[in-house]
Amino acid sequence: MAAATLTAAAPAQAAAHPACATPELAAGWYGDNRARLQQLIHQYGRCNPYRPSRDKPVAVFDWDNTVVKNDVGDATMFWLLRNGKIRRPADWKTTSRYLTPAAAQALATACDPLARPGTPLPTGTPEGAACADEVAAVYGTSATRTGAAAFAGWDRRTIEPAYAWLTQLLQGWTPGQVRGFAAAARTENLAAPIGTKQQVGTTTATGWVRYYDQQRDLIKNLQAAGFDVWISSASPQPVVEVWARGVGVAADHVIGIRNTTRDGKLTTHLQGCGSVADGADSMITYVDGKRCWINKEVFGVRGAAAEKVQPAARRQVFAAGDSDTDVTFLRDATALRLVLNRNKNELMCRAYDNTDGKWIVNPMFIEPKKQKTTPYPCSTTGYTGHDGTPAPVRRADTSVIPDQTDTVF
């Protein structure tokens, strides 16, 4: 990968501000990634009198599998099912505008006889196991237990209906109650040994989560250097708020999937962004939706303009992610983009192509992926279009990125 040169301002800063100490990152990074990140801090941190902007530089991190190993949305869903905290809707079709009739019927058959509308389903009991299995299947595989498609008709660049569905199934609870559920799931998953499986219905699921020490250290040092650090996640807002406290990021710097509320309780509808109104349920913190929500919440851009690339001065200087769901907000970062390699096609195509020298790739810090044995299909099917059609991955100038070999693992 080509290396971009950031202007290291350490000597100048030391002469001008002898009492200002630039934070130093801990070890544990791949290759020269620590040095590249340290250089970013030197150039944009508060100790450099010649830094590019007087404003606080913005850094944005994805959450699941970027700051932590595994997924806090999954951890919450499994906790909800094990503890019987999903309220039965009067009609399953109201929980997602993308839910198929086949999925709605499968959920009604498995779950409706167990509880009255509005009351919690006993999914943690033997009699509720089939209901737990159906919910887990729809959420985890986007299909029913019999293999029928669970969702249809969504824009693949602005929403993932299964992710949104977890947030929508929190309907009827207050945000504070959901934070309590998330805190209980967090305690269990942090205490469980690495590799733990938990029983959910009649099946097993991942039962542990860990913070990445290196990311916790990076966030701490970016904040100490004067960066404005945000989290952008496709897990529910109250859930990520709870987990983000563990790395020193306050709730007002978390952007997760956000429900609308009625009488203080969460509804099945979602807050909108850009040209998407509240309740339209089609623009979450997912791929292009992450750009919209970051522009809206971090930079104060309103209306349809939030869906567009902003001038460099109104964009994050640093971004970190692990998945194709992060590719748009990573591309918007103006100085450095950190990718944790999970073998995701579009993201790795862009990171390895690295035309502007601003991408750095790191293996996952816990249980890294093995080297992908075949090239990433950048020139053919690495990109997923709005309607789900695969296509080549293209650079900003529309040229096609050639297939890339996996080299950082």
Side-chain angles (χ1 to χ4, degrees), residues 173-390:
W173 301 108
T174 68
Q177 288 171 321
V178 174
R179 285 190 287 269
F181 302 157
R186 178 180 180 272
T187 297
E188 288 185 0
N189 279 265
L190 291 178
I194 289 175
T196 294
K197 296 290 186 180
Q198 59 182 322
Q199 187 81 20
V200 180
T202 65
T203 62
T204 59
T206 300
W208 63 279
V209 176
R210 288 293 185 278
Y211 288 96
Y212 284 139
D213 292 338
Q214 294 86 347
Q215 296 287 54
R216 196 197 304 256
D217 177 72
L218 175 58
I219 289 170
K220 177 190 72 174
N221 284 299
L222 286 170
Q223 290 172 327
F227 283 70
D228 194 21
V229 178
W230 289 74
I231 302 298
S232 176
S233 171
S235 287
Q237 175 76 26
V239 172
V240 187
E241 288 177 4
V242 168
W243 283 88
R245 288 200 296 264
V247 295
V249 176
D252 64 0
H253 275 54
V254 169
I255 313 170
I257 304 177
R258 300 180 176 185
N259 305 67
T260 62
T261 59
R262 183 184 302 116
D263 300 326
K265 296 179 180 179
L266 304 177
T267 76
T268 57
H269 290 295
L270 308 174
Q271 294 182 32
C273 182
S275 61
V276 177
D278 290 355
D281 305 340
S282 62
M283 178 77 77
I284 65 168
T285 40
Y286 183 84
V287 197
D288 295 351
K290 283 201 171 186
R291 168 187 287 156
C292 186
W293 276 99
I294 290 167
N295 286 342
K296 175 183 175 181
E297 293 300 315
V298 180
F299 298 103
V301 182
R302 293 293 181 262
E307 299 172 37
K308 306 298 182 182
V309 180
Q310 297 301 300
R314 299 188 78 187
R315 282 153 52 193
Q316 56 271 22
V317 301
F318 173 76
D322 70 283
S323 176
D324 290 347
T325 66
D326 304 319
V327 69
T328 300
F329 93 90
L330 282 163
R331 294 180 72 192
D332 286 350
T334 60
L336 198 61
R337 309 169 192 122
L338 169 64
V339 172
L340 270 64
N341 185 2
R342 292 182 59 230
N343 295 160
K344 301 299 182 179
N345 285 340
E346 183 183 352
L347 182 60
M348 300 315 298
C349 287
R350 296 192 185 282
Y352 282 137
D353 185 52
N354 196 25
T355 52
D356 61 6
K358 296 178 180 179
W359 297 85
I360 58 175
V361 178
N362 211 89
M364 290 190 293
F365 300 106
I366 299 172
E367 297 182 346
K369 292 278 189 183
K370 294 181 180 178
Q371 183 181 27
K372 191 175 186 295
T373 56
T374 57
Y376 290 96
C378 313
S379 66
T380 54
T381 60
Y383 178 88
T384 301
H386 289 273
D387 64 355
T389 302

